[in-house]
């Protein structure tokens, strides 16, 4: 029996994000193109002889109780399957927090995968995804990974062909954004047709493996709220485009911004400008990475 497991919880970006309507239950129907990127948190699971779940993290402001999604993920499976042993979860965060990259959801997805493997529960990926939506709308996608169309509240997933590789520069300004605030101030039912991104056009571009066309279809309706409140988002996008990015967009409800670069040298220039140059005042965290398309 496995008693110790180390896992990588990869972050995501939204190549396109549309909000179709606000539902009567308070949630929103969305249509998004999700993409995993190659930066990740580290999740370590250790079986304990005594019952109970304990959590430790490298960030002092994160909860280490049932308010942490990794605790909720472990508890969900361990209660359902009547597991008597305990589990210690060690979480090392590298993904930006509250940044639109689904870091917490990805951590939870990794724990679902890990608990299933350690305790030999025999649950399929689809079964883990079904349970994951009880924790958060992005968790099923974080179990799936890769390139996917996400619909409903985020739980209806259609895998898409892998994106053609390129360099991805990711920059998070030194602010945090409340997802609830963004959705409450979007007024989704009042959006005009031209405010919605062309999701179908982006799917076609992905199927054609046309990176330039994908970048040309970028769109995120949540920018209408977040970017208006925080002008730094548009400032970061402008830096990325000026440095040779094919295009740049805010991910999720923000405030993280990413740019796609076909030229590795241009990506390096954008990274260095945002990390060390005059534009470093715009970004607190900057990464240079690529797409992560594996679905193990």
């Amino acid at each position: 029996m496995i008693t110790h497991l180390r896992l990588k919880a990869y972050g995501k970006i939204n190549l396109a994000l549309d909000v179709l309507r606000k539902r009567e239950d308070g949630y929103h129907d969305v249509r998004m193109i999700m993409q995993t990127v190659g930066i990740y948190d580290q999740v370590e699971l250790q079986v304990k002889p005594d019952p109970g779940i304990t959590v430790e993290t490298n960030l002092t402001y994160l909860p280490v109780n049932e308010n942490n999604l990794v605790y909720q993920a472990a508890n969900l499976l361990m209660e359902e399957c009547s597991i008597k042993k305990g589990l210690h979860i060690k979480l090392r965060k590298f993904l930006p927090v509250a940044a639109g990259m689904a870091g917490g959801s990805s951590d939870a997805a990794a724990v679902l995968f890990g608990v299933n493997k350690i305790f030999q529960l025999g649950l399929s990926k689809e079964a883990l995804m079904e349970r994951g939506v009880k924790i958060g709308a992005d968790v099923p996608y974080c179990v799936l990974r890769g390139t996917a169309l996400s619909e409903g509240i985020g739980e209806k997933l259609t895998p898409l062909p892998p994106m053609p590789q390129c360099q991805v520069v990711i920059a998070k300004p030194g602010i945090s954004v409340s997802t609830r605030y963004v959705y409450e101030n979007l007024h989704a039912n009042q959006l005009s047709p031209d405010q919605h991104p062309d999701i179908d056009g982006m799917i076609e571009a992905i199927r054609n493996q046309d990176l330039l066309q994908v970048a040309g279809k970028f769109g995120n309706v949540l920018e209408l709220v977040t970017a208006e409140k925080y002008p730094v988002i548009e400032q970061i996008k402008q830096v990325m485009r000026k440095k040779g990015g094919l295009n740049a967009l805010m991910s999720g409800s923000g405030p993280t911004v990413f740019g796609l670069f076909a030229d590795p040298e241009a990506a390096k220039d954008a990274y260095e400008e945002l990390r060390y140059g005059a534009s470093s005042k715009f970004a607190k965290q900057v990464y240079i990475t690529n797409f992560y398309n594996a679905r193990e």
Side-chain angles (χ1 to χ4, degrees):
M1 175 183 171
I2 301 171
T3 59
H4 183 253
L5 196 60
R6 289 190 180 95
L7 300 162
K8 296 176 180 178
Y10 289 89
K12 66 83 182 166
I13 55 176
N14 299 91
L15 297 174
L17 192 161
D18 196 10
V19 180
L20 305 181
R21 65 188 65 85
K22 185 174 182 178
R23 300 161 24 144
E24 291 184 0
D25 60 9
Y27 289 95
H28 289 77
D29 281 324
V30 298
R31 204 157 182 250
M32 310 180 287
I33 305 295
M34 312 277 269
Q35 174 62 54
T36 314
V37 292
I39 56 176
Y40 53 85
D41 294 336
Q42 295 177 354
V43 179
E44 193 170 343
L45 305 181
Q46 178 71 55
V47 176
K48 305 186 302 175
D50 300 325
I53 299 166
T54 53
V55 178
E56 67 171 297
T57 81
N58 60 324
L59 299 180
T60 57
Y61 56 84
L62 291 181
V64 292
N65 54 21
E66 62 275 5
N67 293 320
N68 194 309
L69 295 186
V70 297
Y71 184 107
Q72 295 174 28
N75 189 60
L76 188 152
L77 289 187
M78 293 173 73
E79 277 199 347
E80 176 185 337
C81 300
S82 301
I83 295 169
K84 303 303 180 185
K85 292 186 177 181
L87 186 70
H88 181 67
I89 304 171
K90 184 176 181 180
L91 175 61
R92 296 192 67 201
K93 294 289 297 180
F94 299 100
L95 292 168
V97 176
M101 294 190 68
S105 295
S106 188
D107 298 337
V111 170
L112 290 176
F113 175 89
V115 169
N116 185 48
K117 185 171 184 177
I118 281 181
F119 295 108
Q120 300 177 340
L121 304 182
L123 296 171
S124 66
K125 180 179 287 189
E126 290 72 21
L128 294 178
M129 290 164 64
E130 288 173 5
R131 287 157 176 80
V133 74
K134 299 175 183 178
I135 303 166
D138 282 341
V139 176
Y141 167 74
C142 293
V143 173
L144 177 66
R145 295 178 175 174
T147 314
L149 170 66
S150 171
E151 298 176 287
I153 63 169
E155 86 288 6
K156 298 177 183 177
L157 297 165
T158 304
L160 296 171
M163 276 283 294
Q165 277 295 357
C166 67
Q167 298 295 111
V168 185
V169 177
I170 296 170
K172 179 189 180 291
I175 54 175
S176 294
V177 173
S178 164
T179 299
R180 173 175 288 184
Y181 168 86
V182 174
Y183 275 95
E184 286 178 349
N185 287 275
L186 178 64
H187 309 300
N189 297 342
Q190 301 174 22
L191 295 177
S192 62
D194 63 346
Q195 290 177 305
H196 294 278
D198 183 5
I199 302 290
D200 291 331
M202 178 169 282
I203 293 173
E204 181 181 2
I206 292 171
R207 295 193 186 283
N208 292 335
Q209 295 291 283
D210 189 330
L211 184 64
L212 188 60
Q213 188 179 5
V214 169
K217 296 292 183 181
F218 273 6
N220 180 349
V221 295
L222 299 184
E223 283 190 350
L224 295 171
V225 178
T226 312
E228 181 178 351
K229 184 175 177 63
Y230 301 106
V232 68
I233 291 168
E234 185 60 35
Q235 291 169 323
I236 293 174
K237 290 170 64 177
Q238 289 177 6
V239 171
M240 291 184 177
R241 292 174 183 139
K242 184 177 179 180
K243 288 294 182 178
L246 300 178
N247 206 348
L249 188 71
M250 183 184 80
S251 183
S253 56
T256 296
V257 174
F258 67 90
L260 303 189
F261 292 78
D263 180 355
E265 287 301 317
K268 183 180 177 182
D269 287 346
Y271 170 84
E272 291 183 348
E273 171 62 22
L274 287 163
R275 184 72 176 83
Y276 305 110
S279 301
S280 61
K281 61 186 177 183
F282 299 143
K284 184 176 181 180
Q285 295 167 274
V286 188
Y287 309 84
I288 185 167
T289 184
N290 51 23
F291 297 136
Y292 181 83
N293 290 317
R295 288 193 173 116
E296 72 273 9

